[in-house]
Amino acid sequence: MSEETVNADITIQEYFEQKLPQMFAQFVQEKPPTDLEDQEFRVNFDVDGTIYGAIVRNGSQLEIVPGGTENSHMSNKISEGDWRDTVTGKVTVPSPLFAYNTRKQLDKIKNIKGLFKLRLSHDDGVTFHSATTFNGVTTPEASLVTKVSDYANLVSGKLKAPMAMMTGKVKIEGSLPFIMLLGTLNP
């Protein structure tokens, strides 16, 4: 399943309480989880101070928690405008709820600590920003800086990270080992 986009006028509450659970149910139906019995994955989303948590149990049961969840494995902070760009498909940033549905991937997430920042430039010069904290720890820290279109190609696999870095399409600021560790999360 490719992540479904939503209408530009959706509210944050409608997205997290209605649309996201629908999309997650469809995802689980199309791509059932592997070996996640008795496992829990917790993610927080902070959209300009409006916080929603998501708890995934057994890889297939989603609980949305207004106000967030304690001890999240990932916490993402983003402006409403940039969040809206992701949910409407203007910027391709995969949701962790649709990316990590195997035990191997979840075990990796539970052991990563650090802060990952994403800075993507649009053709008009406006920059998209997001920051993801893993397991409540903000060090090491690293930023990935590139164009929106190049990031979409990285995510889709059309552009390989080593080539992108060698050609200058992607710049890394901060901890290179941390970025390399994050690269192992991709299935």
Side-chain angles (χ1 to χ4, degrees):
M1 168 190 151
S2 62
E3 277 187 61
E4 187 177 330
T5 58
V6 299
N7 293 330
D9 61 349
I10 194 166
T11 67
I12 296 169
Q13 180 180 4
E14 289 170 332
Y15 177 79
F16 283 103
E17 294 182 10
Q18 298 169 21
K19 190 64 175 178
L20 185 59
Q22 292 169 355
M23 291 172 16
F24 183 78
Q26 181 183 349
F27 170 75
V28 168
Q29 183 177 13
E30 293 175 10
K31 190 174 180 186
T34 304
D35 195 26
L36 288 173
E37 297 79 24
D38 300 319
Q39 294 298 305
E40 190 172 276
F41 178 45
R42 296 177 305 279
V43 182
N44 282 329
F45 301 92
D46 178 342
V47 182
D48 272 344
T50 301
I51 301 171
Y52 277 90
I55 302 172
V56 178
R57 291 182 181 91
N58 303 315
S60 61
Q61 301 157 337
L62 176 66
E63 176 187 353
I64 298 297
V65 182
T69 182
E70 292 185 19
N71 302 316
S72 65
H73 298 107
M74 296 174 73
S75 295
N76 184 264
K77 188 170 185 162
I78 192 168
S79 73
E80 183 174 345
D82 289 341
W83 166 81
R84 198 164 296 285
D85 283 351
T86 66
V87 299
T88 59
K90 187 174 177 182
V91 174
T92 302
V93 178
S95 169
L97 298 181
F98 302 106
Y100 310 120
N101 74 335
T102 69
R103 178 67 180 265
K104 182 178 177 182
Q105 292 165 319
L106 182 57
D107 286 346
K108 285 182 183 181
I109 288 287
K110 288 181 175 183
N111 289 305
I112 291 178
K113 292 175 177 47
L115 175 62
F116 172 65
K117 294 181 178 180
L118 190 57
R119 291 196 326 254
L120 308 176
S121 59
H122 292 277
D123 290 338
D124 62 6
V126 174
T127 303
F128 169 97
H129 296 271
S130 73
T132 302
T133 303
F134 290 85
N135 295 294
V137 180
T138 57
T139 56
E141 180 179 327
S143 297
L144 188 142
V145 182
T146 189
K147 293 180 181 178
V148 168
S149 57
D150 289 333
Y151 189 72
N153 287 332
L154 274 173
V155 169
S156 71
K158 292 178 186 174
L159 179 62
K160 301 297 180 202
M163 182 58 69
M165 290 174 62
M166 287 190 308
T167 59
K169 290 185 176 191
V170 171
K171 292 180 178 64
I172 304 299
E173 297 173 355
S175 174
L176 184 57
F178 179 59
I179 288 284
M180 293 172 67
L181 179 61
L182 293 176
T184 68
L185 292 175
N186 295 328

